[in-house]
Amino acid sequence: SQTIHQWPATLVQPVGSPLSLECTVEGTSNPNLYWYRQAAGRGLQLLFYSVGIGQISSEVPQNLSASRPQDRQFILSSKKLLLSDSGFYLCAWRFVGSGANVLTFGAGSRLTVL
Amino acid sequence: DAKTTQPNSMESNEEEPVHLPCNHSTISGTDYIHWYRQLPSQGPEYVIHGLTSNVNNRMASLAIAEDRKSSTLILHRATLRDAAVYYCILRPTYSGNTPLVFGKGTRLSVIA
């Protein structure tokens, strides 16, 4: 069966510090991968998605970047965090070829920038 | 993605059925209707989807209007664990790699 892992689960970072959030998927090949963010009390905002290694599409201009160095690994990064980067970051995957387009989400990484 | 309209919030008593409405008057003939829910402090999870016919699974039922301009997610017996934000999303059948876009959803409160 397929599983998705995100880490760290929670982190507190000072403004101006770097960020690296990791997401890995097991049990599937060539998935589509997604990063979403949910600010406190707000809806889900799509940040990045990837259809293959090294292929990244950015939905919102911001202080963040994403990379996909391996087929089942998706990394969200920042060189210098802003207060507004605080939020709940969710990685998701979708099996390519599935007509239902069902997304499976990880447990999330909660980031607090102070 | 075509637009959907949902009430901001709803309330239900425990053990009673819940009908969560979704309007999608601009739906096209190839759009699937998807429902996800997000429990507190968790990522969204898939609930159910359908195209034209009503659908049932272990989590819920999906009732789709004959003209497909609206649908209703039915929880047959609400429990406290069903308290969540429920999202109704339209997805074209042949959407390629286009990501799902989540709206604000309906926040369901369940009262013991």
Side-chain angles (χ1 to χ4, degrees):
Chain A
S1 63
Q2 301 88 9
T3 55
I4 180 169
H5 302 281
Q6 276 189 252
W7 70 94
T10 59
L11 67 165
V12 180
Q13 295 285 104
V15 169
S17 65
L19 172 73
S20 180
L21 301 178
E22 293 199 33
C23 171
T24 59
V25 181
E26 296 177 356
T28 188
S29 297
N30 196 31
N32 281 4
L33 296 171
Y34 308 85
W35 278 111
Y36 288 83
R37 176 174 64 194
Q38 190 168 39
R42 307 290 294 276
L44 282 159
Q45 178 187 34
L46 177 65
L47 300 176
F48 302 95
Y49 70 95
S50 171
V51 301
I53 296 173
Q55 300 180 61
I56 308 294
S57 296
S58 174
E59 291 294 302
V60 181
Q62 61 218 326
N63 186 41
L64 302 169
S65 62
S67 63
R68 185 170 176 174
Q70 300 180 44
D71 180 45
R72 289 170 289 178
Q73 184 184 28
F74 206 21
I75 298 172
L76 184 70
S77 304
S78 174
K79 292 182 179 178
K80 288 186 178 181
L81 284 169
L82 306 172
L83 286 174
S84 57
D85 291 324
S86 293
F88 191 38
Y89 288 81
L90 290 155
C91 180
W93 75 275
R94 179 177 74 85
F95 175 69
V96 178
S98 168
N101 284 299
V102 173
L103 273 185
T104 302
F105 284 83
S109 296
R110 191 168 299 280
L111 170 66
T112 302
V113 182
L114 301 176
Chain B
D1 292 339
K3 183 177 175 59
T4 62
T5 303
Q6 299 178 254
N8 290 333
S9 62
M10 291 184 64
E11 202 172 80
S12 172
N13 293 320
E14 198 176 12
E15 302 295 317
E16 291 186 356
V18 182
H19 290 232
L20 297 162
C22 181
N23 288 322
H24 28 78
S25 58
T26 59
I27 191 171
S28 75
T30 58
D31 285 342
Y32 275 89
I33 302 160
H34 285 243
W35 284 82
Y36 284 74
R37 74 177 185 180
Q38 186 175 16
L39 302 173
S41 299
Q42 296 187 30
E45 62 176 344
Y46 165 79
V47 177
I48 200 167
H49 76 279
L51 185 61
T52 56
S53 303
N54 294 343
V55 184
N56 299 296
N57 66 20
R58 63 175 181 82
M59 291 181 71
S61 296
L62 177 60
I64 302 172
E66 196 169 335
D67 64 4
R68 299 205 334 121
K69 292 186 176 182
S70 65
S71 61
T72 303
L73 181 71
I74 302 166
L75 307 179
H76 295 286
R77 290 182 65 192
T79 70
L80 296 177
R81 289 173 295 179
D82 291 322
V85 178
Y86 287 79
Y87 300 96
C88 171
I89 305 166
L90 300 184
R91 290 290 285 143
T93 304
Y94 303 106
S95 56
N97 296 312
T98 307
L100 279 181
V101 176
F102 287 77
K104 294 184 178 180
T106 297
R107 181 173 298 278
L108 175 66
S109 301
V110 180
I111 302 169

